[in-house]
C-alpha cells in the first residue's frame, strides 16, 4: 500500500514539475514582431491612459504565465485576477496560450494588485517586476492552496513564493 502511495505521489510530482515550456514559442513571436510591447512607442502618461488587456497580456508573458498548466489528470486551468488601479482584468492559461479579458473571474488561483504606473513600468522593464513585488509596490494574494498552485506550475513564479 505504501508503495502505491509513493508511486502515485511520484507521478503527481513528475507531471506537476514537468509542464511544457513555451518560452521558445514566445521568443519566436517576439522576434517575428507578433508579440510587441504595447508601451514601446508611448510616453508613461500615454501608456497609463491606454492601459488595457494588451498591457496585462504582455506583463503576464514577461512573468512566463504561459508555462502554467492544468494539474495532472484535471481540466482545472490556471486563472489569475489582476487589479490595476481601479481596473480589473482576468487571465486563463490553456496549453500555453494566455487569454486576458476585462472583469473578474470565478475560481482564480491568485490575485495580483498593482497601480497603472507600476504595471506600465513592469511592462517596459522585465527586470523591474520582481522589485515591484519585493518593495511592496505590487502584491499577490494566493487564493488557492499551495498544493494546487504547485500542481499548476506557480512554483516557477518568483513573485508568488518570494
Amino acid at each position: 500500500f505504501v508503495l502505491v502511495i509513493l508511486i502515485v505521489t511520484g507521478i503527481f510530482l513528475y507531471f506537476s514539475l514537468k509542464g511544457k515550456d513555451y518560452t521558445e514559442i514566445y521568443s519566436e513571436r517576439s522576434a517575428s514582431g507578433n508579440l510587441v510591447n504595447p508601451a514601446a512607442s508611448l510616453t508613461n502618461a500615454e501608456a497609463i491612459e491606454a492601459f488595457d488587456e494588451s498591457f496585462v497580456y504582455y506583463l503576464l508573458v514577461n512573468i512566463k504565465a504561459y508555462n502554467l498548466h492544468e494539474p495532472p489528470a484535471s481540466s482545472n486551468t490556471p486563472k489569475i485576477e489582476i487589479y490595476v488601479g481601479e481596473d480589473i482584468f482576468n487571465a486563463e492559461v490553456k496549453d500555453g496560450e494566455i487569454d486576458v479579458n476585462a472583469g473578474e473571474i470565478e475560481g482564480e488561483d491568485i490575485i495580483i494588485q498593482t497601480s497603472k504606473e507600476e504595471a506600465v513600468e513592469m511592462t517596459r522593464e522585465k527586470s523591474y517586476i520582481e522589485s515591484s513585488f519585493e518593495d511592496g509596490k505590487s502584491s499577490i494574494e494566493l487564493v488557492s492552496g499551495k498544493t494546487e498552485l504547485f500542481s499548476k506550475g506557480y512554483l516557477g513564479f518568483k513573485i508568488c513564493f518570494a
Side-chain angles (χ1 to χ4, degrees):
F1 178 74
V2 174
L3 183 59
V4 171
I5 291 175
L6 287 175
I7 291 171
V8 169
T9 302
I11 291 170
F12 175 79
L13 289 173
Y14 175 79
F15 285 107
S16 292
L17 292 172
K18 193 187 177 312
K20 185 172 179 181
D21 186 351
Y22 294 94
T23 303
E24 188 175 320
I25 292 169
Y26 279 83
S27 294
E28 289 172 9
R29 288 179 184 178
S30 183
S32 69
N34 290 329
L35 177 62
V36 178
N37 184 338
S41 63
L42 304 175
T43 66
N44 280 353
E46 290 170 336
I48 290 166
E49 180 68 30
F51 198 92
D52 63 7
E53 292 91 339
S54 66
F55 287 79
V56 174
Y57 176 81
Y58 197 82
L59 177 59
L60 292 173
V61 167
N62 278 346
I63 62 173
K64 298 186 177 184
Y66 50 75
N67 282 333
L68 296 174
H69 51 81
E70 297 89 358
S74 172
S75 61
N76 185 5
T77 57
K79 296 179 183 82
I80 303 171
E81 200 162 85
I82 306 104
Y83 289 77
V84 182
E86 300 296 316
D87 298 330
I88 303 172
F89 301 93
N90 69 76
E92 188 170 7
V93 182
K94 295 179 186 174
D95 299 322
E97 294 298 327
I98 305 168
D99 182 30
V100 177
N101 294 289
E104 297 178 347
I105 191 168
E106 193 171 316
E108 71 274 12
D109 299 309
I110 63 173
I111 298 172
I112 296 173
Q113 295 187 4
T114 193
S115 67
K116 283 188 181 180
E117 294 80 5
E118 283 297 299
V120 167
E121 185 62 31
M122 289 187 278
T123 302
R124 288 192 190 285
E125 187 58 51
K126 185 177 182 177
S127 63
Y128 181 74
I129 296 170
E130 200 170 331
S131 299
S132 182
F133 286 91
E134 287 174 355
D135 296 344
K137 295 176 181 176
S138 299
S139 65
I140 192 159
E141 177 186 345
L142 307 179
V143 178
S144 294
K146 289 191 177 183
T147 302
E148 184 170 349
L149 294 171
F150 171 78
S151 71
K152 290 182 176 183
Y154 286 97
L155 183 66
F157 278 30
K158 291 180 183 177
I159 61 171
C160 283
F161 300 99

